[in-house]
Amino acid sequence: MAEEIVATTGIAGHGATRLPSVDVDSFNIELKDDEGFLGDRASKGAFRKILDDLRKPLKKAGEDPLGKKSAEEIAKSELDKALAGEDIMAAALVHGAIEEFAQELAYVTRRFLKSKAWADTERIVVGGGFRQSRVGEIAIARTDLMLKAEGFKIELVPIRFHPDDAGLIGCVHLAPSWIFEGYDSILAVDIGGTNIRCGVVETRWKKASDLSKAEVWKSSLWRHADDEPTREGAVKRLVKMLKDLILAADTEGLKLAPFIGISCPGVIKEDGSIEKGAQNLPGNWESSKFNLPASLVEAIPQIGDHDTAILMHNDGVAQGLSEVPFMQDVEHWGVLTIGTGLGNARFTNRKKDNGKDKKNKDDKNGKDKKEKKNKD
């Protein structure tokens, strides 16, 4: 059904497996072992627990170099300073936590790579808030080394864009190509368990048709976890944020497309409802009576002179899509997002029937025919 929608309107269904540049092979997989969900072993919370466990014997002796704060209260920047600072004990403690966390991340990654949905994955991009620190970067690099040492032909790399921007920029890759010819920017929404971020993303399509130059022009953030709003209150606040951005874009003279891309946790169904995985959002977003895209269309029926089109997808998928222009040297690739939980998605690049891809395909077909003829 989603493919039929793409063919007739140019816009995929919500949570679609077929997007303009990639096929989404899987997303939001919930792998388990005897201890529960695998994602819980490689989340921000898992790292903090590892760090606090290492500190327990030191605390008892009154020798904890990181002080009295719990790991939850220590900012990423403080851990980065401890890692590079003159206090050798503090640096060793953080290094120890990185090593243990990398082992957990390697275990989880192995399980993904051995699953049918992730077969033949060549590269994995790691995003989420944990990546935006030196601690996170080292943990990712250490995991990469572990997997290579075990013979996995895989590459783990930190996501290219700042995690705050990646989800918004990824929404550009949800949009149909006709948008880029007539408009220079879109509205994007990144919904998380703690924050809701909205932004205007400049496509810069004329500078780079692969959208590699896309950039967040303006964004606004609301930490909804502090306010504990109702579901309806959250939607109302989201609508205001979007309307403020529409006004700002108009004032600046940007050609804003009548399109809103949404990144949201959970399993997104084609009709825009959420099947599961939205438990950290304010109120019940998994109710059959709630549909965020429909609510936004009702509140913002037009952008400029045209009817508003909305496409919503999983937040892990959206973060991964920000890397599409830089993944053209591989065929199968994935994304892991380390945050409150562990988001995941696996992609296969779609081959186009024109230009270089078609030439390569024709060359390959000609070579195969030649080899078959010689064999005969």
Side-chain angles (χ1 to χ4, degrees), residues 112-129:
F112 273 104
L113 293 173
K114 290 177 180 178
S115 70
K116 185 178 179 181
W118 280 61
D120 302 321
T121 300
E122 300 160 77
R123 186 177 299 150
I124 298 175
V125 178
V126 184

Side-chain angles (χ1 to χ4, degrees), residues 1-13 18 270:
M1 181 65 175
E3 292 187 15
E4 292 177 10
I5 294 173
V6 174
T8 57
T9 69
I11 297 180
R18 188 174 179 82
E270 188 178 349

Side-chain angles (χ1 to χ4, degrees), residues 342-375:
L342 184 72
N344 61 85
R346 216 297 283 259
F347 307 96
T348 296
N349 288 331
R350 288 181 57 198
K351 296 296 183 183
K352 297 177 175 61
D353 290 331
N354 57 3
K356 186 177 179 180
D357 286 334
K358 185 176 188 301
K359 182 180 184 300
N360 290 343
K361 185 177 179 182
D362 290 343
D363 289 346
K364 184 179 184 301
N365 289 340
K367 182 179 179 182
D368 290 344
K369 288 178 181 177
K370 185 176 180 180
E371 289 177 352
K372 186 176 185 301
K373 182 178 180 182
N374 291 339
K375 186 176 180 181

Side-chain angles (χ1 to χ4, degrees), residues 182-290:
Y183 303 93
D184 56 23
S185 54
I186 71 160
L187 286 170
V189 179
D190 188 8
I191 300 169
T194 303
N195 304 314
I196 291 179
R197 189 181 302 274
C198 298
V200 173
V201 181
E202 288 188 276
T203 65
R204 300 191 172 186
W205 181 74
K206 291 181 180 178
K207 291 185 177 180
S209 59
D210 63 356
L211 301 174
S212 59
K213 300 290 186 182
E215 187 174 273
V216 177
W217 170 70
K218 187 180 183 67
S219 67
S220 58
L221 174 70
W222 172 40
R223 189 178 168 85
H224 64 77
D226 292 340
D227 297 341
E228 298 182 358
T230 62
R231 184 182 68 197
E232 288 69 26
V235 173
K236 186 175 180 181
R237 178 69 176 266
L238 172 56
V239 168
K240 184 182 185 307
M241 292 168 74
L242 288 170
K243 286 184 175 179
D244 287 346
L245 286 169
I246 292 171
L247 179 60
D250 184 58
T251 301
E252 187 68 19
L254 292 177
K255 293 180 180 178
L256 192 61
F259 176 86
I260 304 174
I262 304 175
S263 162
C264 185
V267 177
I268 313 300
K269 298 175 70 174
E270 188 178 349
D271 64 358
S273 60
I274 304 174
E275 184 176 334
K276 60 179 179 178
Q279 63 273 8
N280 293 320
L281 303 183
N284 181 12
W285 288 49
E286 297 172 17
S287 168
S288 59
K289 297 179 181 179
F290 177 67

Side-chain angles (χ1 to χ4, degrees), residues 42-205:
S43 64
K44 285 194 296 185
F47 177 81
R48 294 187 187 112
K49 184 179 185 306
I50 289 170
L51 182 58
D52 277 339
D53 286 346
L54 290 174
R55 296 167 67 195
K56 282 179 182 177
L58 299 175
K59 280 185 177 294
K60 287 181 180 179
E63 299 175 355
D64 186 350
L66 296 181
K68 295 181 179 180
K69 289 182 182 178
S70 69
E72 177 78 32
E73 298 171 310
I74 301 175
K76 287 180 289 187
S77 58
E78 291 181 62
L79 292 179
D80 285 350
K81 287 180 181 178
L83 193 64
E86 295 181 2
D87 188 331
I88 300 301
M89 290 299 291
L93 193 56
V94 178
H95 267 292
I98 290 172
E99 180 67 18
E100 285 196 32
F101 182 80
Q103 290 174 8
E104 293 295 313
L105 182 57
Y107 170 76
V108 172
T109 305
R110 265 184 242 116
R111 287 288 305 274
F112 273 104
L113 293 173
K114 290 177 180 178
S115 70
K116 185 178 179 181
W118 280 61
D120 302 321
T121 300
E122 300 160 77
R123 186 177 299 150
I124 298 175
V125 178
V126 184
F130 184 72
R131 171 261 178 274
Q132 195 58 32
S133 64
R134 188 62 175 169
V135 168
E137 289 177 343
I138 293 174
I140 294 166
R142 182 69 185 110
T143 304
D144 179 59
L145 291 173
M146 287 179 183
L147 293 171
K148 282 184 169 66
E150 294 171 17
F152 284 92
K153 295 180 179 179
I154 190 71
E155 183 182 9
L156 252 69
V157 295
I159 202 162
R160 190 173 305 259
F161 293 103
H162 191 290
D164 290 346
D165 292 343
L168 298 176
I169 291 172
C171 287
V172 174
H173 294 272
L174 296 173
S177 59
W178 57 262
I179 276 179
F180 309 127
E181 297 180 11
Y183 303 93
D184 56 23
S185 54
I186 71 160
L187 286 170
V189 179
D190 188 8
I191 300 169
T194 303
N195 304 314
I196 291 179
R197 189 181 302 274
C198 298
V200 173
V201 181
E202 288 188 276
T203 65
R204 300 191 172 186
W205 181 74

